[in-house]
Amino acid sequence: METKMTDETLANEAAKPSRLVDARGRGTKIEFRGEEEFHACWYPVALSSEVERGSLIGAPFLDGRVIVYRTSDGIAHVRSAYCRHLGADLSVGRLVNDTVQCPFHFWRYDVAGSCVDVPAGDPPPPYAKLFSYPTAESLGLIWAFNGETPLHPAPHFEQSEAALVIEAYRNPLPMKVESSIVFLNSFDLQHFRVVHGMPIEVDLDRVTEHEHTLGYEARVSTPEFGEVVQDRRLWGVNTVTIASETGGRKFYQLHSLCPVENHATQGFLVSATPAADFAEDDSARALLAQSREYALRLVNEDAPIFDTLSFRRDNLTASDRFLAFGIQYIRRYPRAHPGRELIR
Ligand code: FES
Ligand SMILES: [Fe+2]
């Protein structure tokens, strides 16, 4: 069901005078997640290019660790990382006939996560099962859904991937801050102008909420691309996709966040443009390079500030109306942690 962001949904601390804060206190800190829970989102865990057919890597995920591997049919899988025997990290093991072989006593696990072979001859114990995260692959990224069943499809652009030139890469900067705080950057209209030199206008009455995504149009002026109209879509509470046009050419960007141990965040970025818009592949690559430079400028400008942030109740002002909505949106978003016992 599609709903509009209404004044009612916006009724929040930004619109009210502060009651809890006075000159002597900073206000109550906003915690975005409990100790034991994360949001039920699609999280990027690896670049597609990092996981070749028949290979397996380990990746930090939520408050633990997963393995990411690709079977001979080309399909990627994300499973809890620790062997159910004595807990060896399976990323140190290898793939044998599409099964994950533990490096320690060579127990093997099939794609359903079940142990199917104990070389010592014992029957595989019934509990010997890895946690299987729903896994998807799109836009050069491998995604794991934090839940038993995905709430919506994995992030994608409106145009089919087959028609796009795509570049996916990691944000090289470590972010020692919760992913929710990084995600709120999209709602923080004040900071775009002053931190990024990018005045931005969003018609808050036209923000629409639809099946765990939010959509809105932003009019942005950037030093790199001039005045552009961006079609922004927020997926879950960790991914932003942006479609815009420059010089008559469409281009897409994605910034997605994966929570990792110690309340830190790993960012992944994607730039894409339709191959058909370019006579020469090289000029498509030039636009992607420009888009990458632009995205890295923004994350570089934000990075030193992110690590210092802590959000407090009642400290927002009228210009923070969209930010206040974002805080509420994150706080009411569904949570889950079904792999909790097996990924750490
Ligand atoms: S620890 Fe994995 S098989 Fe023993
Ligand atoms: Fe920013």
Side-chain angles (χ1 to χ4, degrees):
M1 192 187 79
E2 190 161 322
T3 54
K4 286 223 165 194
M5 189 172 107
T6 63
D7 277 344
E8 226 171 343
T9 60
L10 279 169
N12 53 54
E13 52 263 57
K16 299 177 205 155
S18 294
R19 291 169 317 239
L20 303 177
V21 182
D22 62 24
R24 289 165 300 181
R26 291 181 68 195
T28 313
K29 190 173 171 185
I30 300 176
E31 300 294 349
F32 288 98
R33 67 173 177 87
E35 275 306 302
E36 293 293 315
E37 290 204 314
F38 292 83
H39 293 105
C41 296
W42 282 106
Y43 292 109
V45 290
L47 300 174
S48 296
S49 58
E50 291 171 331
V51 190
E52 286 171 12
R53 224 174 261 244
S55 81
L56 158 143
I57 64 168
F61 184 50
L62 308 179
D63 52 359
R65 187 170 170 79
V66 289
I67 49 168
V68 188
Y69 66 96
R70 194 185 294 283
T71 40
S72 55
D73 54 9
I75 296 176
H77 309 270
V78 180
R79 305 289 178 256
S80 52
Y82 299 111
C83 180
R84 297 303 307 273
H85 183 211
L86 297 182
D89 183 342
L90 296 167
S91 69
V92 186
R94 60 189 186 121
L95 274 191
V96 176
N97 298 330
D98 286 346
T99 61
V100 177
Q101 186 184 67
C102 176
F104 205 11
H105 311 98
F106 282 19
W107 288 22
R108 288 190 298 121
Y109 298 88
D110 67 8
V111 286
S114 300
C115 178
V116 289
D117 185 38
V118 174
D122 301 335
Y127 64 79
K129 206 163 184 330
L130 307 178
F131 185 78
S132 294
Y133 284 96
T135 306
E137 191 159 9
S138 65
L139 306 176
L141 299 171
I142 297 173
W143 306 84
F145 186 80
N146 176 39
E148 306 277 355
T149 311
L151 299 176
H152 60 82
H156 52 266
F157 298 134
E158 66 193 4
Q159 200 156 358
S160 146
E161 262 186 57
L164 299 172
V165 192
I166 296 173
E167 267 180 13
Y169 48 101
R170 286 169 181 270
N171 177 355
L173 301 170
M175 294 182 279
K176 295 185 206 125
V177 67
E178 262 188 46
S179 62
S180 296
I181 287 188
V182 184
F183 184 67
L184 280 167
N185 218 239
S186 289
F187 296 89
D188 184 346
L189 302 183
Q190 287 195 48
H191 101 287
F192 281 105
R193 180 184 292 273
V194 292
V195 176
H196 302 309
M198 270 173 62
I200 183 167
E201 278 174 37
V202 176
D203 181 351
L204 299 187
D205 296 326
R206 292 181 53 212
V207 175
T208 55
E209 195 172 339
H210 181 65
E211 289 176 358
H212 306 287
T213 62
L214 283 177
Y216 59 95
E217 198 178 271
R219 295 182 172 276
V220 185
S221 173
T222 70
E224 289 86 351
F225 302 106
E227 306 270 328
V228 288
V229 178
Q230 299 181 333
D231 193 358
R232 292 184 170 218
R233 193 162 171 200
L234 309 187
W235 307 70
V237 292
N238 69 312
T239 300
V240 185
T241 55
I242 300 173
S244 50
E245 231 177 81
T246 182
R249 286 164 172 172
K250 196 115 195 170
F251 79 103
Y252 301 95
Q253 293 172 297
L254 171 147
H255 192 182
S256 187
L257 307 163
C258 183
V260 294
E261 281 172 306
N262 302 321
H263 296 254
T265 299
Q266 171 66 56
F268 289 83
L269 297 142
V270 175
S271 302
T273 191
D277 285 3
F278 297 87
E280 300 280 334
D281 206 38
D282 280 357
S283 57
R285 294 275 162 209
L287 177 57
L288 294 190
Q290 193 189 7
S291 162
R292 181 182 184 132
E293 230 168 83
Y294 161 71
L296 289 175
R297 171 174 77 83
L298 301 192
V299 298
N300 264 299
E301 287 167 351
D302 283 325
I305 304 165
F306 278 151
D307 294 358
T308 68
L309 295 178
S310 79
F311 283 50
R312 309 276 163 164
R313 270 184 218 293
D314 296 298
N315 292 5
L316 304 180
T317 63
S319 305
D320 293 319
R321 190 168 166 242
F322 196 33
L323 180 58
F325 170 78
I327 292 171
Q328 286 187 335
Y329 183 72
I330 291 176
R331 284 168 64 78
R332 69 170 197 258
Y333 202 82
R335 291 155 198 265
H337 201 353
R340 176 192 292 125
E341 299 303 328
L342 300 186
I343 65 168
R344 54 189 196 186

